[in-house]
Amino acid sequence: MTEAKRYFRSHLWKFIAAGALLAFTGFSWRNAGQKILPVYPDNDGLYLPDGFRALVVVDSLKGQARHIAVNKNGDIYVKARNHNLNGGYGNIALRDTNGDGKADIIIPFGKYDGHTYGTAMRIHNGYLYFSSELMVYRMKLKRGQLVPDSKMDTIVVDNPPYHEHQTKPIAFDNKGHIYVGWGAGSNAGQVNNRQPGSPGVGDPGSPDKGNPWLKDHGGIWMFDADKTGQHQADGVKFATGLRSTVALDWDAKSKSLYTVAHGRDDFRMIWPDIYTPWESAMQPAEEFFKVTKDFDGGWPYYYYDAIKGKKLLNPEFGGDRVKEGDGAKLTQPLIGFPAHFAPNDLLFYHGKQFPSHYKNGAFVAFHGSTDRAPYPQAGYIIAFVPFKDGKPSGPWEVFADGFAKVDPIVNVSNAVYRPMGLAEGPDGSLYVSDTEKGKIWRIMYTGDKKKFGAPELAAMEKRKQTASNIKTPDEVKDNLFKGMATTSAVYSTYCVACHQADGKGDGNRFPPLAQSEWVNYNTPRLIKVILNGLKGPVKVKGLSYNEVMPGHGSFLSDAQIAEVLTYIKSNFNNLPEIVTPEEVGAVRKTLPKETHD
């Protein structure tokens, strides 16, 4: 008698009970590769192409989740989004011991410094690689062992201070190299980051261009994947002109590196005389690049306008929505995805479970926008790009939607789930992680692969044209604030993109104002924050945030600051208080002139 048969006989009663329970709760059994797995009849609320089914591997993880990796035996490794909620551990290991597709062993491990930006989780040559914002680590995996007990090697070292866009995504080529993204701690290369009207640093027409963020940030560096203790100077600067890269992958088929880069934010907030709210919601594109040695993506001097199909000069460097400068000389993106979709993972699919339509194509996890107000927030989907000969062979498609559970998404906090990480399982299943609850889905194909084609994709194409989180918003009809009284002109212009209309922030980059200790109890300190801005990391309601808030004292009057603070204090479940222009003026006089002018 085989070991499998002995196990089945000794646990027969469990299988009978499980079958009865599944029948009662509405589960159905579907064949996925070598295993028979229970699948939700409604795909847990996800919209998928016909023939695909979704299984919830784990409903929630204490540390939430960013990137994920799946080992050859099906073990899942998760980069925790929040170490503090995970007992101080940065990683989580999951195993399914009874073959029902659900994780029944969940173990946190790996203590190292990290905030919510640290992202990488990849398996390469028998090692588990993962990152904080400043470091890339690895641990040796042993056959059959879920939690590695090997020492933690430091592969790449970055220097403090920690700043926005430090995510450290990684990818591996077939020649022993590891590629590491180095995000720039700036939105648009300004003298004063995110401050309205502040000019950019450098000259897009000069040989060295001169923006300090491009010297040792804003690009991708290449290192030896097996060497420990490497600093940036030990690597090779492989690419530049990339503000923030989180989605990074090496395609083994074309032997090439690819990224989907985050475009800049805040056109309307910083340049209200140039961009309308609709234009700010629609620009700039999230750019899908094939990255070769000495590649230049154009940031901070240029952005890609997907409507015009052109690289245009950023307004910080003299742009006016029309000027192109030398943008045409830069490498153009393979695809310009809609603005602010937030591409946070990229995966080239090489499995055999899915229909041939998906073979060698690229999946992109879009975490979702934060700054599309007054229009619906957008993204929150998994997209797919068919590939042939190393480049897209057709338009991008919607592969999975329904994560947010609400329509429209007015504020980021309204979204129940936000897709983040992607991983391919040993049987060709696609795993998707969520940042808000730490949920993980496994998406499988259970239909007839030979019959899969355009009819099966039609419903997803319809969503692309009609769903409020995907389609191009109508400038008038889709304005969510149309007809509403604007209780604070300052808040709707300068604050709503980060802190949201409901004051709850986005749960990761931008902190909440609702019932915040930074809003209540200490009004003089709050006035100072508005005047001077704030640099992280700071703790708000027990969680750490590090996105920069610019000082507003140089362009807002005492009356405007008093108006917006009174509005914030009188809303979002805060302690009501009227702030007067005189109070603001008194605090302003106590500060050095250069700090707020």
Side-chain angles (χ1 to χ4, degrees), residues 450-469:
K450 295 180 180 179
K451 295 181 179 180
F452 187 88
E456 284 71 31
L457 295 170
M460 303 308 292
E461 179 60 29
K462 185 177 180 180
R463 289 200 64 77
K464 185 177 179 181
Q465 305 302 324
T466 60
S468 67
N469 62 306

Side-chain angles (χ1 to χ4, degrees), residues 163-409:
H163 56 70
E164 60 181 322
H165 306 147
Q166 276 183 312
T167 52
K168 295 296 182 293
I170 60 176
F172 303 90
D173 65 14
N174 57 345
K175 295 183 178 180
H177 299 121
I178 181 174
Y179 298 85
V180 182
W182 232 277
S186 173
N187 174 45
Q190 295 173 282
V191 173
N192 297 306
N193 190 29
R194 299 182 186 273
Q195 187 171 108
S198 179
V201 179
D203 178 5
S206 66
D208 62 359
K209 298 183 180 178
N211 191 279
W213 282 111
L214 295 177
K215 180 180 178 181
D216 53 6
H217 289 79
I220 299 171
W221 271 254
M222 181 178 72
F223 300 89
D224 185 328
D226 294 313
K227 187 177 180 181
T228 61
Q230 299 171 96
H231 290 75
Q232 193 179 56
D234 300 316
V236 174
K237 189 174 185 179
F238 195 77
T240 190
L242 296 167
R243 167 185 177 267
S244 174
T245 55
V246 188
L248 186 68
D249 196 24
W250 176 268
D251 176 32
K253 178 72 174 180
S254 62
K255 295 182 176 59
S256 301
L257 183 69
Y258 294 84
T259 188
V260 189
H262 282 245
R264 55 84 52 85
D265 302 324
D266 302 330
F267 272 138
R268 172 65 175 171
M269 186 187 81
I270 300 175
W271 303 99
D273 294 336
I274 300 177
Y275 296 89
T276 68
W278 186 84
E279 289 168 334
S280 188
M282 294 300 297
Q283 300 293 350
E286 313 282 40
E287 298 176 82
F288 189 5
F289 290 119
K290 180 177 181 179
V291 184
T292 56
K293 180 70 169 62
D294 298 323
F295 166 91
D296 185 352
W299 181 91
Y301 307 105
Y302 296 92
Y303 70 95
Y304 187 71
D305 183 326
I307 298 175
K308 295 180 179 179
K310 295 180 178 180
K311 287 270 193 179
L312 301 179
L313 265 176
N314 265 313
E316 289 79 8
F317 300 92
D320 58 1
R321 294 187 294 115
V322 178
K323 294 178 182 176
E324 299 180 39
D326 291 328
K329 298 178 182 179
L330 294 167
T331 301
Q332 305 300 299
L334 301 172
I335 291 177
F337 284 105
H340 315 301
F341 265 35
N344 274 9
D345 208 358
L346 173 66
L347 173 73
F348 281 86
Y349 183 80
H350 300 298
K352 297 179 180 180
Q353 184 193 125
F354 288 8
S356 59
H357 174 75
Y358 297 95
K359 186 74 171 180
N360 301 318
F363 289 99
V364 184
F366 286 107
H367 197 222
S369 69
T370 64
D371 55 348
R372 275 202 165 202
Y375 298 92
Q377 299 300 339
Y380 307 85
I381 64 170
I382 305 299
F384 176 74
V385 181
F387 258 68
K388 185 176 181 180
D389 299 327
K391 59 184 180 180
S393 57
W396 70 272
E397 305 166 3
V398 179
F399 177 73
D401 187 21
F403 296 95
K405 306 293 184 186
V406 294
D407 184 16
I409 307 167

Side-chain angles (χ1 to χ4, degrees), residues 20 32 40 44 49 62 75 87 137 151 159 211 226 233 251 260 271 273 303 349 419-420 440 464 478 529 532 558:
Y40 286 83
D44 193 43
K62 290 182 179 179
D75 288 345
Y137 305 98
K151 67 183 179 70
N159 297 318
N211 191 279
D226 294 313
D251 176 32
V260 189
W271 303 99
D273 294 336
Y303 70 95
Y349 183 80
M420 172 70 199
I440 297 177
K464 185 177 179 181
D478 292 323
V529 168
N532 292 345
D558 292 350

